[in-house]
Amino acid sequence: MHVADFVSGSLAGACGVAVGYPLDTVKVRIQTQRQFTGIWQCVVATFSKEGVHGFFKGVTLPLATISMTSSVVFGTYRNCLQCLSQARRAGCGPNTKPEIFLSGLAAGVAQTSVLSPGDIVKVRLQCQTESKQGGTGATKLRYRGPVHCLLTIVKEEGPRGLYRGVLPLMLRDSMSFATYFLTYATLREWLTPSGNKRPSWSGVMLAGGASGIVGWTFATPMDVIKARLQMDGAQERRRYKGFLHCITETVRSEGAGVFFRSLGINWLRAFPVNMVVFVTYEGVTSLLKDVDAPPPAPV
């Protein structure tokens, strides 16, 4: 993997996390807690009880690990593209759309191994609705921070607890990465004027935002299951016996529509976040090198 890709991807990912994290917190709370009935109600309730800090609980871990996840995604994506190109003896020719789709799918599967521990910590901190503010009536926080949350999970649930919800996470990221990379590559090609290497900045923003929406459309149902399984481990009495039981129990109690309850906020978050991600990525890449590069990982 080129150093320029790694640096650009890491900076772009960090910008995406910073921009989209407040809505990500709202999304996770709507998915896992029935007390939140909608986007605006969740925003108001979170702000009134926890302040601005409530929207950024657990943000330090994603920011700290973005470089590691970027290296896994870019390394897997590039190597898969190269292997598939060599398999059809294409040499240095452009990759086909099926090759882009399969390479994105492989990148999504590969990053699960490094993303899962940090993701479950993020989700549990986001769903910790107690305020940190002191007072006689203040509730004691179960998790005091990312490191304490990580150690508590290992202590109470064992190392396997860090990978609770890993199957829906893998299914989510494999399909979302595949469609994300394919959508961006297709739109980027369509929006690039003849004779140019890259589209205009407006084209980059449109392709990035649209690819984020497409990716999260496929990712949302598994994202709901993942979050519920991850939070289920924090309860004294577990509600779900496993992946399939979580699906059937969720449908039985809330209907199939619950899998798309957070689709609206995912769309609302995906477009501006991935627009920022791609503008940052393309801008930094153009400063570091003057060749085409794979797109950054979806946020």
Side-chain angles (χ1 to χ4, degrees):
M1 181 181 63
H2 295 291
V3 174
D5 298 333
F6 176 75
V7 173
S8 301
S10 298
L11 289 176
C15 290
V17 169
V19 171
Y21 201 84
L23 285 180
D24 185 69
T25 298
V26 174
K27 175 206 72 172
V28 171
R29 292 188 173 189
I30 291 175
Q31 288 176 337
T32 59
Q33 301 181 43
R34 294 187 181 183
Q35 61 179 301
F36 300 114
T37 57
I39 298 174
W40 183 246
Q41 183 266 341
C42 183
V43 170
V44 172
T46 299
F47 181 77
S48 62
K49 184 177 181 180
E50 305 165 64
V52 176
H53 168 75
F55 296 101
F56 290 92
K57 287 183 175 179
V59 71
T60 54
L61 198 58
L63 287 175
T65 58
I66 190 68
S67 295
M68 180 170 59
T69 55
S70 294
S71 64
V72 172
V73 170
F74 288 136
T76 303
Y77 184 75
R78 269 194 172 278
N79 288 331
C80 285
L81 285 178
Q82 185 176 3
C83 290
L84 291 172
S85 180
Q86 291 175 348
R88 64 182 175 87
R89 304 180 187 279
C92 296
N95 290 101
T96 64
K97 296 300 188 293
E99 289 173 351
I100 294 173
F101 182 88
L102 291 174
S103 298
L105 189 146
V109 171
Q111 81 141 4
T112 303
S113 60
V114 296
L115 179 65
S116 184
D119 190 65
I120 191 172
V121 169
K122 175 187 77 73
V123 168
R124 295 207 178 172
L125 289 174
Q126 286 176 319
C127 292
Q128 187 169 251
T129 58
E130 295 84 359
S131 175
K132 256 188 172 183
Q133 297 174 355
T136 56
T139 304
K140 184 179 180 181
L141 296 178
R142 176 174 173 81
Y143 305 117
R144 296 193 296 270
V147 175
H148 180 256
C149 181
L150 187 74
L151 295 176
T152 301
I153 293 173
V154 173
K155 179 182 178 181
E156 296 180 353
E157 305 170 48
R160 291 181 61 184
L162 296 175
Y163 290 88
R164 186 178 301 279
V166 69
L167 178 56
L169 175 63
M170 184 180 298
L171 294 174
R172 183 198 75 173
D173 285 353
S174 59
M175 185 53 63
S176 65
F177 272 57
T179 54
Y180 176 89
F181 280 116
L182 179 61
T183 302
Y184 182 75
T186 302
L187 292 178
R188 191 175 188 270
E189 181 181 327
W190 289 351
L191 296 172
T192 300
S194 179
N196 292 355
K197 291 183 177 181
R198 294 183 178 88
S200 63
W201 287 113
S202 60
V204 171
M205 290 189 287
L206 177 60
S211 62
I213 287 178
V214 172
W216 274 105
T217 300
F218 284 92
T220 296
M222 285 298 104
D223 192 50
V224 173
I225 297 300
K226 172 198 72 75
R228 294 193 171 202
L229 286 173
Q230 288 174 329
M231 280 305 300
D232 193 50
Q235 311 300 324
E236 293 183 3
R237 181 181 178 183
R238 292 176 184 171
R239 180 180 180 185
Y240 308 116
K241 299 176 183 178
F243 174 65
L244 293 178
H245 183 253
C246 181
I247 294 177
T248 56
E249 180 65 18
T250 298
V251 172
R252 185 192 65 81
S253 60
E254 301 176 61
V258 70
F259 295 122
F260 294 96
R261 180 184 295 169
S262 57
L263 181 59
I265 193 170
N266 277 337
W267 283 351
L268 183 65
R269 169 181 170 269
F271 194 92
V273 166
N274 285 283
M275 183 177 65
V276 169
V277 165
F278 274 102
V279 168
T280 304
Y281 179 82
E282 295 281 6
V284 175
T285 300
S286 65
L287 292 176
L288 297 178
K289 64 178 185 177
D290 192 31
V291 297
D292 285 334
V299 179

